[in-house]
Amino acid sequence: MKLSDLIAQFITDQLTGQDAVELQRSQLASRFGCAPSQINYVIETRFSPARGFSVESRRGGGGYIRIVRVPMGPSALLQHTVAALGEQVDQSGAQLLLYDLHKAGILGDECFCALKACLGDQALSAVPQPLRPRLRAEMLGAALAALAAEQ
């Protein structure tokens, strides 16, 4: 089992029977013998809004990570995802989010493939590289908001 899988399983176990858990990034990193950035990676990829979680993070000495399970239907999940999207999304982040929504059954195969293609660097090649993450976030947000309205 990969380290990221072990960390994700530990966090999932902590959430068992609860709607939220607060963790210390540095304590998790010490426990698993990894860098805090590995903890960040697991949280960003396994506990995303598209997977039904809300994550609050506070850095510093008394910092924590609060992961909240947010049970919701497809429309609410899409709206939650749009709200958590941010101003910029790189290609891999967009693909991961689309994959999560596809896996959750919210995006069908055709919609998943079309959005993945439209948000990729190849489709955005006419846009200067520094502007792509912002445009990608705007396009993804608009597409998901439209899907939420259809639900």
Side-chain angles (χ1 to χ4, degrees):
M1 185 176 268
K2 293 181 185 178
L3 179 59
S4 55
D5 294 332
L6 291 172
I7 295 167
Q9 186 60 53
F10 176 81
I11 295 170
T12 301
D13 290 347
Q14 296 297 307
L15 275 164
T16 301
Q18 301 182 68
D19 290 330
V21 65
E22 280 190 19
L23 306 164
Q24 297 253 312
R25 185 180 290 108
S26 60
Q27 287 178 351
L28 282 175
S30 292
R31 178 184 184 99
F32 290 99
C34 65
S37 61
Q38 181 74 26
I39 304 301
N40 292 343
Y41 169 78
V42 170
I43 290 169
E44 289 171 10
T45 59
R46 309 287 179 90
F47 299 93
S48 65
R51 290 187 176 200
F53 295 94
S54 174
V55 178
E56 300 170 27
S57 179
R58 179 182 218 165
R59 296 186 184 264
Y64 63 88
I65 301 168
R66 180 175 169 82
I67 302 172
V68 180
R69 188 184 320 268
V70 184
M72 56 186 87
S75 178
L77 183 57
L78 285 167
Q79 291 170 352
H80 179 69
T81 302
V82 170
L85 194 56
E87 292 183 12
Q88 296 189 24
V89 177
D90 62 14
Q91 180 176 342
S92 63
Q95 288 179 349
L96 182 61
L97 192 140
L98 292 172
Y99 174 77
D100 286 346
L101 292 171
H102 181 254
K103 188 175 175 184
I106 294 172
L107 294 181
D109 292 342
E110 292 175 354
C111 186
F112 169 71
C113 289
L115 285 172
K116 185 175 165 189
C118 290
L119 297 170
D121 279 337
Q122 186 174 6
L124 299 176
S125 64
V127 177
Q129 182 68 33
L131 301 177
R132 291 180 194 172
R134 183 177 178 106
L135 177 60
R136 186 178 290 113
E138 290 177 9
M139 292 170 58
L140 182 56
L144 297 180
L147 287 171
E150 291 292 317
Q151 296 287 324

